[in-house]
Amino acid sequence: MIEQKRIGFIGGGQMGEAIFSGVLASGLVKPEQVSVTDVSAERLDTLGKKYGVFTAVNDGANSGARVVIERSDIVVFAIKPQYARPMLAAVSGAFRSEQLVISIMGGITLGFLEEFFPQNPVLRVMPNTPMLVRRGIAGIAAGAHASEADSALGVELFNLVGMSYLLPENLIDPLTSVSGCSPAFAYLFIEAMADGGVEKGLPRDMAIRLAAQALAGSAEMVLQTGKHPAELKDSVCSPAGSTIVGVHALERGGFRNTVMNAVTESCDKMIEVGKKA
């Protein structure tokens, strides 16, 4: 049960913060159960004061990482993938065999991780930043030594900050491009809709909130009704109405083709990053 586990984060950046802040907001995990290390003392000072978690600066000898590992039952690697190999090589020997290793490093495969953790249960997880507001999505792939209990623990952890899917590793990169990269695409869409509203006279702040709420409400309609997005779209498009004219304008600009390209090219990039690690 997650409320009985101590959780360590190697890396205190935006994604790491999104996860542990959401977990703490659930109330099941207390600040004293969370440890964070990072190379930036200033960043750790901010996180420690804001959340009340234990922090340790990581130096050239990786002393902070070793302290966090010692204090934790679950260790989350939340660093950039280009730093994966030197970090894992430096600290893998400090792990106890029963510790659950979770990687949220983009493109880093289970096979790569298990070179450094041949005995530990390992989960490869791809989260997204809306975990900061507990509306995130995570894809979880289990390594060779991860038991059903280990996978269930990972699902329980990430369900605290949204929803999670246990899936084969070959689907992790496609999931990342759809749910991990897409918040940026959604922000662009919100900004563009707001810009259109501003052009027609709406105040900027109002236009942004209107666009964001419309997108959030539309997403909730898909989730709650279970209807295909095309069916919901058709229900809004009255014959000869303003909405179908707007849809036509989007199609004229190659909207769906552009979005599909954004998703597939993001996926290809994630695979490329993993190969370079």
Side-chain angles (χ1 to χ4, degrees):
M1 296 177 68
I2 198 67
E3 58 263 37
Q4 299 172 346
K5 301 296 183 180
R6 299 168 300 163
I7 309 171
F9 289 80
I10 297 179
Q14 183 181 28
M15 188 58 74
E17 181 185 6
I19 297 169
F20 70 71
S21 65
V23 168
L24 291 173
S26 74
L28 286 181
V29 176
K30 307 302 181 186
E32 57 267 26
Q33 294 172 251
V34 176
S35 303
V36 185
T37 186
D38 196 88
V39 295
S40 171
E42 182 180 0
R43 172 68 172 164
L44 290 177
D45 184 60
T46 298
L47 295 175
K49 290 177 179 177
K50 185 174 181 179
Y51 300 106
V53 299
F54 173 86
T55 63
V57 178
N58 205 35
D59 56 19
N62 289 298
S63 59
R66 293 176 185 277
V67 170
V68 167
I69 292 165
E70 177 63 30
R71 291 172 56 90
S72 305
D73 303 305
I74 301 169
V75 179
V76 181
F77 282 93
I79 59 175
K80 294 180 178 179
Q82 56 264 40
Y83 303 135
R85 185 176 294 278
M87 175 59 77
L88 295 179
V91 303
S92 58
F95 278 74
R96 305 180 297 278
S97 61
E98 73 276 9
Q99 285 175 295
L100 176 60
V101 178
I102 295 178
S103 165
I104 65 166
M105 298 180 288
I108 301 300
T109 66
L110 286 170
F112 182 96
L113 295 165
E114 289 175 337
E115 290 179 22
F116 300 93
F117 301 102
Q119 304 300 323
N120 288 80
V122 176
L123 300 178
R124 178 185 174 189
V125 180
M126 276 294 101
N128 66 0
T129 53
M131 288 184 174
L132 192 63
V133 292
R134 301 183 67 200
R135 297 296 298 270
I137 300 172
I140 302 174
H145 299 289
S147 65
E148 287 187 9
D150 294 318
S151 296
L153 190 60
V155 168
E156 183 182 2
L157 172 63
F158 285 93
N159 278 352
L160 293 180
V161 287
M163 62 177 68
S164 60
Y165 295 89
L166 195 62
L167 73 175
E169 186 178 20
N170 68 309
L171 296 181
I172 286 287
D173 288 324
L175 176 140
T176 303
S177 60
V178 172
S179 63
C181 303
S182 61
F185 309 156
Y187 300 144
L188 281 174
F189 186 43
I190 290 169
E191 182 185 27
M193 287 198 294
D195 282 346
V198 170
E199 183 178 343
K200 291 300 183 181
L202 287 174
R204 169 69 62 182
D205 289 349
M206 179 186 293
I208 291 173
R209 293 189 65 84
L210 288 171
Q213 185 61 41
L215 198 62
S218 301
E220 198 63 33
M221 286 280 287
V222 173
L223 294 173
Q224 289 197 20
T225 66
K227 293 181 178 180
H228 193 283
E231 182 181 355
L232 292 170
K233 179 263 295 178
D234 287 349
S235 70
V236 186
C237 293
S238 303
S242 59
T243 304
I244 192 64
V245 170
V247 168
H248 190 180
L250 288 173
E251 294 292 10
R252 189 166 58 245
F255 179 74
R256 281 191 286 188
N257 179 64
T258 301
V259 173
M260 290 172 67
N261 285 341
V263 171
T264 57
E265 290 179 27
S266 294
C267 182
D268 293 342
K269 179 63 175 180
M270 190 64 63
I271 294 170
E272 179 188 333
V273 168
K275 289 179 178 178
K276 290 182 178 179

